[in-house]
Amino acid sequence: QVQLVESGGGLVQPGGSLRLSCAASGRIISSFVLGWARQAAGKERELIAAVDRSAHNKYYADSVKGRFTISRDSARNTVYLQMNSLEPGDTAVYYCAAKPNGANTWNYYGQGTQVTVSS
């Protein structure tokens, strides 16, 4: 069983920064692709960033490219999302996600953490 536990959400002003953390545990998690998805009110959940097991290959959605950075600490089985230049449109519940390397679907999600960008 894979468990993902997010932390680091909160309220931030436009232009501010937050760093989300996700502690991953369970079978063969070190070989999984890890990522972050978000779901704003009334919208579908979307994948915004991902990093493979090597920590070198990364994906970013266009909406966050250049502002968000995903990183992975394999020794701690932790994945981070550094979010800079936050905008009100970034307000959403952010979910940590995991899938086996090569899988087409994201099999596992955490419980989510709320990020609110507002003045």
Side-chain angles (χ1 to χ4, degrees), residues 7-93:
S7 60
L11 173 65
V12 63
Q13 292 186 341
S17 298
L18 276 177
R19 188 175 84 152
L20 304 182
S21 301
C22 171
S25 61
R27 64 179 186 92
I28 323 175
I29 194 65
S30 60
S31 67
F32 277 38
V33 181
L34 299 178
W36 289 93
R38 68 184 182 185
Q39 186 168 22
K43 296 187 178 181
E44 293 186 356
R45 185 160 53 189
E46 61 167 339
L47 183 73
I48 58 170
V51 57
D52 72 357
R53 58 183 176 177
S54 76
H56 295 307
N57 296 308
K58 300 179 181 180
Y59 159 83
Y60 294 100
D62 288 343
S63 57
V64 306
K65 200 173 294 182
R67 300 186 299 123
F68 291 9
T69 302
I70 189 169
S71 60
R72 178 173 184 159
D73 184 338
S74 295
R76 293 182 171 84
N77 283 337
T78 302
V79 62
Y80 304 96
L81 186 68
Q82 178 66 43
M83 305 186 293
N84 298 329
S85 302
L86 283 161
E87 305 166 352
D90 295 316
T91 296
V93 178

